[in-house]
Amino acid sequence: DMQPLLDGESCILPEWDEDKLLSAQQPQGPQDTISILRDLLSPFIFYIFPFAGPAFAFWQWGNILFICHSLIGDEKLLLELLQTTLTPATNGIVVGSLAIALGTLTSVTVSSLRQRLLIV
């Protein structure tokens, strides 16, 4: 609803209604358990975990390395796995995509610089 103002101007914002603002701030009823749990865990997730997670990983790096070696394997086997799985994909799609992207950027840059030069 547009409200008319002076001199034929109009404002698309609604009028300030204090009663609606106060009723919106009051709780509307009991929250569900997921909202309560999210509210309880949010300080831990946003303030404690970003520092505690890396600190714990740094403190336990020996154990984590042992677990990774026992689950995944030795570095020699991992390097061989990397060379057989990732290298063909990198040489195939990634290098081609990067070449097309960089070629496009270069041609657009040269074209825009040439247009500027012609305008001046």
Side-chain angles (χ1 to χ4, degrees), residues 16 35 43 97:
W16 181 264
S35 297
S97 299

Side-chain angles (χ1 to χ4, degrees), residues 10-51:
S10 59
C11 178
I12 60 171
L13 297 176
E15 286 188 29
W16 181 264
D17 191 1
E18 192 72 30
D19 294 331
K20 285 183 181 178
L21 179 67
L22 291 176
S23 67
Q25 291 176 350
Q26 295 174 355
Q28 299 297 325
Q31 292 181 332
D32 58 348
T33 35
I34 294 177
S35 297
I36 294 171
L37 187 61
R38 184 187 63 225
D39 292 342
L40 289 175
L41 290 178
S42 63
F44 177 76
I45 291 170
F46 293 118
Y47 298 112
I48 296 172
F49 186 69
F51 297 105

